[in-house]
Amino acid sequence: MAKSLELRFNTSLGKAKTMSVQDPVLDLSPEDAQKAMADIIALDLFEKEGVNLYTSVVGARYVERVVEDIFEVE
């Protein structure tokens, strides 16, 4: 099972935007996650076509994904 950390934000237009972190630290406290997200917002580095992609915190969550191959062509 692959586990990732999804950091959920709103853009400057109020739309949802998610940043996904592969192989994350698995014991983050809510306070640590929220502080890290506030730090990302404060950097003000992410913009696309005049829209700030990360302007407010929505939440953070761990996501597990199970992949079961049926077949693979080589």
Side-chain angles (χ1 to χ4, degrees), residues 1 8 10 15 20 26 30 37 47 49 62-63 65:
M1 257 184 261
R8 299 179 299 141
N10 279 328
K15 296 191 176 203
S20 185
L26 297 177
M37 294 173 76
E47 185 178 300
E49 298 175 2
Y62 290 110
V63 176
R65 192 179 99 166

Side-chain angles (χ1 to χ4, degrees), residues 5-74:
L5 172 64
E6 285 187 353
L7 305 176
R8 299 179 299 141
F9 298 88
N10 279 328
T11 69
S12 58
L13 296 178
K15 296 191 176 203
K17 186 72 178 169
T18 301
M19 180 183 287
S20 185
V21 179
Q22 302 304 312
D23 300 317
V25 172
L26 297 177
D27 60 352
L28 285 176
S29 70
E31 296 79 18
D32 288 341
Q34 194 163 10
K35 175 159 181 355
M37 294 173 76
D39 290 346
I40 291 168
I41 291 169
L43 290 172
D44 198 25
L45 291 175
F46 303 96
E47 185 178 300
K48 184 176 180 180
E49 298 175 2
V51 176
N52 189 331
L53 298 179
Y54 306 107
T55 58
S56 64
V57 172
V58 173
R61 61 186 173 195
Y62 290 110
V63 176
E64 285 187 69
R65 192 179 99 166
V66 177
V67 177
E68 191 173 320
D69 289 332
I70 297 171
F71 72 92
E72 193 171 316
V73 177
E74 293 182 26

